[in-house]
């Protein structure tokens, strides 16, 4: 039942990311962003919405990776399994939604680079931390950098 | 040593450490939640203002119709009963009874004094013999009509409105004291009608001129704005729209069917200023108020608005040069431990309104905040009231066109055929003084808005 713990942890990371965006980055952006085309609070609702979509997409990618690597990929030795390209490919959906979010978020005059940065963080962190920390043992080193993160785990 | 530090670095991913990490993270989020929920100064919406509401027409009406029975009116009846005068008079009662579900109409004739008309006697007002009562025909004392008029009724006066300067002053003063100071309106319906008779009281020596041709008579209506408007619309549907030369002016303190607000407005320009919605207490909505935020780093800020309005069709036509803006600014401060508003003396140098545009359907202006560094951090309540300027002639052109140029009197006396009977003595003076009286007594407002500003 290890996979229950892993999947729960992946979901937990995404949940923390959502909370982080709603309660940390959004209030921070209220102070930083200026010149939004609508009321700041309404604009922040758009921001929160997109950051939730991005985190959600990232979560779906991470879970998909987990399901594939737990139940579908066959493996004898991880370094020869050739699954890192699959892992890399699964990062594309969150990045694609990030690009859409950047285009569809009404631009404010000040603070937009920070908004884009938070979008990338929202899209990448849940996927990266979820897969790097909680991939099934057979593929735990497929995510880039996970050899450092999971050397003893 | 190196191995230990590397182990420390890498070891963050063992399970107990992860648990600690999540616990820390949750505490961090909780701390931020508490911080972000910290209390900011809020301020409730301003109280409602009575001038913001145009009262609906009365459900039931009591109308008093007064006929001018002096000799100068007799000329309207001599050309026959097919004149505009006769047609309009025949429809007055019907305009009241069909304009309201429930109505009571009383008729009077007036001149030197007032007499009530019994039964169907008012139907004689279109015949010459109506003007033969010697007790009445000497002078047109319209001020006595105002004395006897009741403020709860719609008062309708049929007259040639031929007033000398003293009559104008007396009549306007009577109207001011009894009606205008209490928020009532006055409607002037002007109708050109066939005339054949004597025009009396022309000029300071009260000269008389025999005249045949078109001459205006007026139906004055005094009462509530919507009642007068309804009376006119009914009369227009019954007869006025079939007559060739009629006009209507409604002198009132209302200019649009509802006071413009930000509800259907648009922001046309926004420079270094943000719209926010957290100065009101939670879930409070008031479209008269725009909530704004200015940051300390911005030296000056501007915001432009285009608000929709529906101008009242017969009200005074306004233009940007005929209006003025009053701005006042108060800061939310603590007085004796309670939040209250403290007047800012330097509002004039901090705030300006310009770029006024005014049409029947929209109103545009720009609010500029100058020298933001002189604005200390906090919440401000800014009130903007736009009013018509006093002493500005906004009269419609027909008032001027129908106004008698008394300077031509010597030439008329030299040749009576030149007498300009199509005009009315002191029409413009009467209408203008009425308008000025409304400005003085009712302080009419075109716009009454608020800005709640948070300076951060």
């Amino acid at each position: 039942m290890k996979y229950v713990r892993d999947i729960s942890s992946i979901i937990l990371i995404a949940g923390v990311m959502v909370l982080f965006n709603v309660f940390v980055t959004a209030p921070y952006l209220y102070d930083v962003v200026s010149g939004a085309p609508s009321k700041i609070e309404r604009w922040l609702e758009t921001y929160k919405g997109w950051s939730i979509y991005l985190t959600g997409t990232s979560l779906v990618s991470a879970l998909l990776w987990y399901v594939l690597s737990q139940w579908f990929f066959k493996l004898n030795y991880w370094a020869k399994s050739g699954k890192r390209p699959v892992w890399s490919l699964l990062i594309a959906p969150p990045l694609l939604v990030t690009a859409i979010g950047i285009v569809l978020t009404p631009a404010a005059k000040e603070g937009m680079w920070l908004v884009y940065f938070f979008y990338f963080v929202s899209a990448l962190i849940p996927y990266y931390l979820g897969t790097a920390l909680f991939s099934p043992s057979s593929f735990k080193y497929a995510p880039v950098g996970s050899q450092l993160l999971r050397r003893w785990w | 040593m190196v191995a230990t530090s590397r182990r420390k670095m890498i070891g963050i991913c063992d399970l107990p450490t992860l648990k600690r990490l999540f616990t820390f993270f949750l505490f961090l989020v909780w701390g931020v939640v508490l911080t972000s929920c910290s209390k900011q100064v809020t301020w409730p919406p301003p109280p409602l203002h009575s001038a913001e509401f145009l009262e609906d027409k009365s459900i039931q009406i009591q109308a008093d119709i007064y006929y001018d029975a002096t000799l100068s009116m007799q000329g309207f009846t001599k050309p026959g009963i097919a004149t505009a005068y006769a047609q309009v008079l025949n429809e007055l009662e019907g305009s009241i009874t069909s304009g309201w579900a429930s109505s009571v109409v009383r008729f009077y004739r007036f001149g030197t004094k007032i007499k009530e008309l019994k039964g169907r006697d008012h139907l004689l007002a279109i015949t010459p013999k109506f003007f033969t009562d010697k007790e009445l025909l000497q002078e047109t004392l319209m001020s006595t009509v105002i004395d006897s008029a009741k403020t709860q009724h719609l008062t309708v006066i049929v007259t040639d409105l031929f007033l000398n300067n003293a009559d104008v002053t007396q009549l306007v003063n009577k109207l001011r004291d009894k009606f205008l100071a209490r928020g009532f309106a006055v409607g002037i319906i002007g109708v050109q009608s066939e005339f054949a008779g004597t025009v009396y009281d022309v000029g300071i020596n009260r000269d008389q001129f025999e005249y045949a041709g078109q001459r205006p008579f007026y139906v004055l209506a005094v009462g509530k704005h919507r009642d007068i408007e309804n009376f006119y619309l009914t009369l227009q549907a019954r007869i006025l729209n079939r007559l060739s030369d009629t006009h209507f002016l409604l002198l009132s303190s209302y200019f649009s069917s509802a006071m413009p607000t930000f509800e259907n407005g648009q922001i046309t320009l926004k420079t270094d200023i943000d719209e926010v919605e957290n100065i009101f207490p939670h879930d409070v909505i008031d479209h008269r108020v725009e909530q704004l935020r200015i940051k300390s780093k911005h030296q000056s800020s501007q915001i432009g608005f285009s608000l929709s309005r529906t101008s009242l069709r017969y009200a005074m036509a306004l233009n940007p040069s005929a209006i003025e803006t009053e701005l006042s600014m108060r800061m939310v401060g603590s007085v004796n431990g309670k939040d209250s508003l403290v007047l800012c003396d330097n509002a004039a140098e901090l705030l300006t309104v310009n770029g006024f545009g005014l049409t029947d359907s929209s109103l545009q202006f720009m609010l500029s905040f100058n020298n933001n560094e002189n604005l200390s951090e906090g919440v401000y309540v800014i009130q903007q009231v736009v009013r018509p300027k006093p002493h500005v002639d906004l009269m419609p052109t027909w008032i001027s066109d129908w106004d008698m140029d008394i300077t031509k009197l010597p030439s008329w006396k030299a040749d009576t055929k030149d007498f300009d009977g199509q005009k009315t003595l002191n029409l413009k003076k009467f209408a203008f003084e009425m308008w000025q009286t409304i400005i003085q007594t009712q302080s009419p407002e075109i716009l009454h808005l608020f800005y709640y500003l948070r300076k951060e």
Side-chain angles (χ1 to χ4, degrees):
Chain A
M1 297 295 279
K2 186 174 172 291
Y3 64 87
V4 173
R5 190 204 68 183
D6 290 343
I7 288 174
S8 303
S9 301
I10 291 169
I11 293 171
L12 183 66
I13 289 173
V16 170
M17 193 72 232
V18 168
L19 290 175
F20 184 73
N21 277 325
V22 170
F23 294 111
V24 180
T25 65
Y28 179 65
L29 287 174
Y30 176 86
D31 293 329
V32 172
V33 167
S34 183
S38 59
K39 291 184 178 177
I40 290 285
E41 290 86 349
R42 306 267 171 89
W43 185 90
L44 283 173
E45 290 304 314
T46 307
Y47 165 78
K48 286 179 199 171
W50 275 109
S51 65
I52 289 169
Y53 297 150
L54 297 174
T55 307
T57 314
S58 188
L59 172 65
V60 169
S61 281
L63 291 176
L64 187 60
W65 164 255
Y66 191 92
V67 169
L68 289 173
S69 53
Q70 175 74 18
W71 288 290
F72 291 93
F73 295 154
K74 304 291 180 198
L75 176 75
N76 294 319
Y77 179 57
W78 73 271
K80 294 181 180 175
S81 66
K83 296 298 184 250
R84 181 165 284 175
V86 177
W87 179 85
S88 304
L89 199 64
L90 282 173
I91 210 165
L95 289 177
L96 181 67
V97 178
T98 303
I100 296 170
I102 287 172
V103 171
L104 294 184
T105 302
K109 286 184 181 163
E110 294 173 17
M112 282 312 283
W113 288 111
L114 204 57
V115 173
Y116 300 151
F117 172 74
F118 287 144
Y119 276 175
F120 275 108
V121 168
S122 305
L124 294 179
I125 292 287
Y127 180 74
Y128 182 74
L129 283 184
T131 55
L133 295 176
F134 299 105
S135 287
S137 303
S138 312
F139 293 93
K140 67 179 186 178
Y141 294 138
V144 174
S146 60
Q147 287 166 280
L148 285 175
L149 289 171
R150 295 187 67 176
R151 187 161 181 174
W152 288 281
W153 176 32
Chain B
M1 185 71 179
V2 173
T4 310
S5 63
R6 189 175 175 194
R7 178 169 297 189
K8 274 183 184 172
M9 184 181 74
I10 293 168
I12 59 168
C13 286
D14 57 27
L15 204 53
T17 311
L18 266 179
K19 281 180 182 172
R20 283 199 297 275
L21 186 66
F22 280 132
T23 310
F24 167 75
F25 211 25
L26 286 176
F27 272 108
L28 177 73
V29 169
W30 181 243
V32 172
V33 169
L34 289 179
T35 310
S36 63
C37 291
S38 64
K39 190 175 179 292
Q40 280 191 309
V41 174
T42 59
W43 195 253
L48 291 172
H49 190 259
S50 62
E52 290 168 31
F53 305 102
L54 176 54
E55 213 177 324
D56 286 339
K57 74 164 186 173
S58 303
I59 296 166
Q60 51 189 7
I61 194 94
Q62 291 192 62
D64 300 320
I65 300 179
Y66 293 84
Y67 297 102
D68 184 343
T70 55
L71 277 176
S72 63
M73 295 293 288
Q74 195 178 38
F76 287 112
T77 59
K78 286 185 178 168
I81 56 168
T83 60
Y85 178 80
Q87 291 182 67
V88 170
L89 261 60
N90 284 336
E91 296 297 339
L92 286 180
E93 184 181 13
S95 298
I96 303 288
T97 52
S98 64
W100 282 266
S102 170
S103 61
V104 177
V105 188
R106 287 192 182 84
F107 299 91
Y108 305 85
R109 60 178 165 181
F110 74 94
T112 315
K113 58 184 183 180
I114 299 166
K115 286 185 177 178
E116 184 168 1
L117 295 165
K118 301 291 183 188
R120 307 304 288 166
D121 284 355
H122 63 277
L123 298 176
L124 297 173
I126 59 171
T127 62
K129 67 178 179 184
F130 187 78
F131 304 90
T132 53
D133 187 337
K134 289 181 181 174
E135 287 184 42
L136 302 182
L137 52 78
Q138 297 303 318
E139 275 194 289
T140 312
L141 294 177
M142 283 181 62
S143 53
T144 59
V145 174
I146 304 304
D147 285 337
S148 75
K150 296 176 179 67
T151 52
Q152 309 94 313
H153 295 191
L154 176 67
T155 302
V156 177
I157 306 167
V158 181
T159 176
D160 61 359
L161 208 56
F162 217 78
L163 306 167
N164 62 37
N165 287 349
D167 291 338
V168 169
T169 306
Q170 190 180 23
L171 179 58
V172 170
N173 285 345
K174 293 275 184 185
L175 282 166
R176 179 195 62 204
D177 295 342
K178 192 158 189 177
F179 289 99
L180 302 181
R182 300 181 195 181
F184 290 100
V186 176
I188 305 173
I189 303 170
V191 182
Q192 288 283 357
S193 180
E194 298 82 353
F195 184 90
T198 309
V199 177
Y200 295 89
D201 300 334
V202 181
I204 205 158
N205 294 320
R206 300 195 156 195
D207 294 305
Q208 301 176 14
F209 291 90
E210 289 302 315
Y211 174 74
Q214 292 289 309
R215 185 175 183 234
F217 74 96
Y218 301 87
V219 180
L220 296 185
V222 186
K224 293 200 301 186
H225 182 114
R226 285 294 194 202
D227 286 343
I228 295 170
E229 186 182 63
N230 185 55
F231 167 66
Y232 170 73
L233 291 173
T234 317
L235 189 63
Q236 187 192 36
R238 291 175 75 96
I239 183 62
L240 294 178
N241 57 9
R242 295 199 293 277
L243 302 176
S244 59
D245 201 359
T246 69
H247 293 282
F248 178 49
L249 173 64
L250 184 42
L251 295 161
S252 136
S253 61
Y254 296 98
F255 306 96
S256 49
S257 52
M259 192 71 86
T261 66
F262 295 109
E263 186 174 14
N264 298 315
Q266 288 181 324
I267 306 283
T268 53
L269 171 87
K270 203 160 52 170
T271 309
D272 294 339
I273 192 165
D274 293 309
E275 294 171 271
V276 295
E277 50 189 24
N278 63 359
I279 305 178
F280 272 171
H282 187 60
D283 280 348
V284 173
I285 294 171
D286 189 330
H287 297 296
R288 299 170 302 154
V289 181
E290 179 75 356
Q291 300 173 70
L292 302 168
R293 177 186 72 172
I294 287 178
K295 291 184 172 182
S296 297
K297 64 180 177 181
H298 295 133
Q299 289 291 307
S300 61
S301 311
Q302 285 183 318
I303 186 162
F305 296 95
S306 177
L307 309 181
S308 67
R309 69 187 288 262
T310 308
S311 66
L312 291 168
R313 201 167 154 199
Y314 305 105
M316 196 67 80
L318 297 163
N319 63 65
S321 62
I323 55 180
E324 60 188 5
T325 302
E326 293 170 18
L327 284 170
S328 66
M329 190 174 189
R330 289 172 171 78
M331 186 181 188
V332 178
S334 183
V335 176
N336 298 329
K338 280 187 174 180
D339 279 347
S340 56
L341 294 176
V342 182
L343 187 67
C344 301
D345 297 329
N346 55 348
E349 66 184 69
L350 294 171
L351 277 172
T352 49
V353 175
N354 46 34
F356 246 106
L358 190 65
T359 68
D360 285 346
S361 60
S362 71
L363 192 153
Q364 302 91 31
F365 58 91
M366 193 155 65
L367 187 68
S368 301
F369 295 85
N370 318 308
N371 305 318
N372 287 345
E373 69 269 21
N374 293 339
L375 208 59
S376 52
E377 289 189 4
V379 170
Y380 296 84
V381 173
I382 298 157
Q383 183 178 231
Q384 178 191 15
V385 181
V386 178
R387 301 179 193 281
K389 275 184 193 168
H391 314 300
V392 175
D393 182 8
L394 293 170
M395 294 297 139
T397 52
W398 73 271
I399 293 283
S400 300
D401 293 344
W402 289 20
D403 187 53
M404 181 174 275
D405 182 2
I406 199 64
T407 60
K408 292 179 179 172
L409 183 59
S411 65
W412 296 338
K413 286 166 86 171
D415 186 354
T416 54
K417 287 178 186 170
D418 289 343
F419 175 66
D420 195 1
Q422 276 192 299
K423 307 287 174 68
T424 302
L425 183 64
N426 283 324
L427 175 65
K428 189 170 180 180
K429 179 181 170 66
F430 171 71
F432 185 72
E433 287 197 11
M434 291 276 288
W435 172 236
Q436 292 307 301
T437 305
I438 286 173
I439 290 180
Q440 286 161 12
T441 57
Q442 300 186 16
S443 298
E445 294 176 353
I446 300 156
L447 196 65
H448 196 139
L449 297 174
F450 297 86
Y451 306 91
Y452 282 16
L453 175 73
R454 192 189 296 282
K455 169 78 186 296
E456 291 180 343

